[in-house]
Amino acid sequence: PLVARLDLILLGTIGLGAIAWYARSKFFGTSSDKTTSTSSSATINSNTTSKPAPSKPERNFVKVMQQQGRRCIIFYGSQTGTAEDYASRLAKECSQKYGVSAMVADIELYDLSYMDTLPDDHVVFFIMATYGEGEPTDNAVDFWELLTNDAPEFSASDSTDTPLENVRYIVFGLGNKTYEHYNSVGRTVDKHMQQFGAQRIGERGEGDDDGSLEEDFLTWQETMWPAFCQALGVDENSAQSGPRQATFGVEELVTFDEALVYHGEIAERLNSQQAKVVYDAKRPYNAPIVTREVFQDGGDRHCLHVDIDISGTNLTYQTGDHVAVWPTNNDVEVHRLASVLGLSEKLDTVVLVKAVDPAASKQYPFPAPTTYRAIFRHYIDVCAIPSRQALTSLVDYAPTEESKATLLKLASDKDEYRHAVSDAVRNLGEVLQYVMGDTSASATTSASSFASVPFDLIVECVSRLQPRYYSISSSSKEHPTLISATAVTLEYKPDASLERTVYGVNTNYLWQIHSKVNQVDDGRSYPLYSLDGPRGALLAPDASHVKIPIHVRRSQFKLPRNSSVPVIMVGPGTGVAPFRGFVRERALQKKDGKSVGPTTLFFGCRHSQKDFLYADEWPALFDTLGEGSQMITAFSRETDQKVYVQHRLQEHGQQMWDYLQQGGYIYVCGDAKNMARDVQHTFVSFAQIYGGKDEDAANAYIKQLRTSGRYQEDVW
Ligand code: FAD
């Protein structure tokens, strides 16, 4: 190995002050702490007894770059962490391969109006995800408003038509071709940067999450780096050669205050003076839940209705919002990866993981100090498919010539990678087992084979575990402090001949909570999860009640303000989730004496007796809604020819068209790939058949409905 496993062993005492993940300045204990370093890649400053008043972070990124001697800044607009991962990978490549000092920056933390003061020998990267209906990610909203403004105000007062003519930039967009506004954020950023005179280096990159985002990212780099080198006058020899530079320092703590160790908590602990807690995406709430099964189709799918109690918190939601659930990894995959990395015996060892260069990557990738077990179980996505780049970085650590050759082949040969890694849905632990020729379910023969991999490389290669989102299936008007979600378990065999089963991380976690608390056994075996949560915070010792970490995300998917207009909803399968909330809300409005327009719900599933979600609730709700409102069902496995919601929609074309003429709203929820597209085509065809429009005019009509908020989608 180029770098010894574990860069540092901290022998001192971490202790007296509160160790808070986010409170960087308070991090290390007393001046009497002793530190022994086995590597020069990370040094610990143990002399920070004084607590300087926290200064306001500098928002002028050009100033920060100059203070830190950076030539590149890599901004990311990220919702689920992928763009952020890509930004970190590019920063590393910049400095390690080309010797150009780069910093990674959350675009929300800086004021981009200073862009016009960027010297022309500097470069700004934009790694921008497109979200929802062509929108920027939450953290990119300010930048988006600046750039798309008709008269953007950059910092220099003598603004011209081309205020950014000194700026050189690189752009890569992350999108999904299933959506209409494919990569619109990356494209719009590129367009406006050029409009303001900035010069792009290389071609704009675009990645398709519906195809192979990772391959698109790698392919784009093949031409981007040469253009980058030419523009900056650098080459591969510009970097100082030598051992791999660690991005993170990893210290195993020998002495520590157990009370300060994170065992899987997502947010930093609060001190007692912080009375008011604000729960959000950075600080999920451990909410008590109650689950019930809304169908069991006799096969391998279970669908759970989850009631989440948010009473007594400042959390609120609106009908149509999303609830995010922070999952736990199952222990089979935790142990698999730990075993192959030789960490099985050390799972409870306390470690401190910290960026070597805090400006180049996130200072603390997860709460610290923590344990290997908590990292594997709660903080990193051990079930994710590793990228080819990640596999490349592990080649040097393969224990035998044969395993090295196999790993190199997977890393360098796209087809081989697709066959054995991405199509086979193998996670990192499984890939490392595979290259050792070990295909057993547990990691026995391959145990410790990759023990020489420095742990910081694992932190670098494996992305953070992300929350899973669910369309809220309750109405906030009916139940303001109770959020419901409707989740179907995911389980599949990526390749029947391999006889491997892949289990969805979060849905199987929820299913196991349900089985344990309600003592349900379906006679099948699942990978086991630890349900206790950090320090037993989630499961009561007698398993009588359970909590899960959640937060709420606002969505644009909203009923019309005027309840008297017609509403058309199309939601097959779990796509019906938000419509349970919508229908309940409209029934409540009706009960309250409001004028409620015709409410039509198209629902589809396989079988009326097996997977018909909330079958027992609909009749009473539609009774309340009264004449003109109806639920129209499509059961695909009950007839010789499969009938889907689109077909049922076609049968009611005239009626739906009439509703649209009355100002009706269309809502579509569920599968983004096929269903949502087919439903859109069906509505376009209504505009042709019943509205007498030609194809272009019909498409424009539907587009206009979308723009005015009368055609809304909540698809995934
Ligand atoms: P994961 O471990 O995350 O696995 C899911 C991944 O597995 C998928 O991304 C896919 O790439 C892969 N995969 C799935 N099937 C196969 C296959 N056959 N072959 C190869 N790869 C495969 N879900 C609901 O049940 N109800 C909802 O109301 C709901 N609402 C959502 C709303 C939004 C806005 C979004 C973004 C998603 C919603 N989802 C909903 C989906 C939900 O967030 C999770 O993705 C889902 O529950 C699976 O999570 P998991 O952790 O169990 O699976």
Side-chain angles (χ1 to χ4, degrees), residues 585-646:
E585 186 145 321
R586 278 170 81 85
L588 190 72
Q589 288 171 326
K590 183 90 182 194
K591 269 192 198 154
D592 289 346
K594 275 200 169 169
S595 155
V596 176
T599 306
T600 312
L601 171 59
F602 288 89
F603 171 76
C605 65
R606 293 179 190 170
H607 205 289
S608 57
Q609 300 302 314
K610 288 184 179 167
D611 54 352
F612 188 174
L613 284 171
Y614 302 111
D616 54 337
E617 293 187 20
W618 303 116
L621 291 167
F622 279 93
D623 265 1
T624 306
L625 287 166
E627 211 180 319
S629 292
Q630 59 178 328
M631 179 162 189
I632 297 165
T633 50
F635 302 115
S636 62
R637 306 270 166 98
E638 290 188 357
T639 42
D640 287 346
Q641 251 193 332
K642 288 190 175 164
V643 180
Y644 294 115
V645 279
Q646 303 84 290

Side-chain angles (χ1 to χ4, degrees), residues 10-26:
L10 181 71
L11 295 171
T13 304
I14 293 268
L16 304 178
I19 298 184
W21 163 39
Y22 73 114
R24 280 89 171 155
S25 60
K26 293 183 192 163

Side-chain angles (χ1 to χ4, degrees), residues 6-159:
L6 304 178
D7 293 298
L8 290 166
I9 310 285
L10 181 71
L11 295 171
T13 304
I14 293 268
L16 304 178
I19 298 184
W21 163 39
Y22 73 114
R24 280 89 171 155
S25 60
K26 293 183 192 163
F27 210 91
F28 296 101
T30 68
S31 56
S32 63
D33 289 352
K34 272 197 244 157
T35 307
T36 304
S37 168
T38 55
S39 155
S40 60
S41 63
T43 46
I44 299 293
N45 173 8
S46 56
N47 293 323
T48 48
T49 43
S50 61
K51 291 177 188 163
S55 54
K56 236 177 154 189
E58 175 60 65
R59 290 196 37 90
N60 180 346
F61 71 93
V62 179
K63 201 163 157 189
V64 174
M65 287 175 81
Q66 282 165 347
Q67 281 164 353
Q68 297 184 0
R70 315 276 175 188
R71 268 182 93 187
C72 288
I73 188 160
I74 308 182
F75 286 115
Y76 60 85
S78 192
Q79 196 75 24
T80 61
T82 311
E84 183 181 348
D85 270 1
Y86 282 10
S88 299
R89 283 164 58 180
L90 292 170
K92 193 163 179 196
E93 194 94 346
C94 262
S95 59
Q96 294 201 359
K97 205 159 176 190
Y98 305 106
V100 175
S101 178
M103 64 187 280
V104 172
D106 180 341
I107 201 156
E108 181 175 49
L109 300 182
Y110 293 97
D111 182 346
L112 275 283
S113 70
Y114 288 102
M115 213 156 30
D116 57 343
T117 63
L118 193 74
D120 63 5
D121 58 347
H122 287 42
V123 171
V124 51
F125 284 64
F126 296 104
I127 310 302
M128 308 301 291
T130 296
Y131 179 64
E133 301 282 298
E135 294 141 34
T137 55
D138 291 348
N139 73 330
V141 170
D142 288 350
F143 171 55
W144 182 257
E145 281 172 6
L146 170 82
L147 208 62
T148 55
N149 193 313
D150 286 343
E153 287 186 21
F154 290 101
S155 67
S157 51
D158 54 341
S159 54

Side-chain angles (χ1 to χ4, degrees), residues 322 468-471 486-488 490 492 504-507 574 577 716:
H322 299 135
R468 305 305 201 259
Y469 291 95
Y470 296 89
S471 304
T486 311
V488 68
L490 176 67
Y492 57 91
V505 175
N506 189 49
T507 48
T574 44
W716 60 85

Side-chain angles (χ1 to χ4, degrees), residues 484-504:
S484 302
T486 311
V488 68
T489 53
L490 176 67
E491 153 180 352
Y492 57 91
K493 291 190 188 301
D495 175 348
S497 67
L498 286 174
E499 290 180 4
R500 285 168 51 248
T501 304
V502 177
Y503 297 90

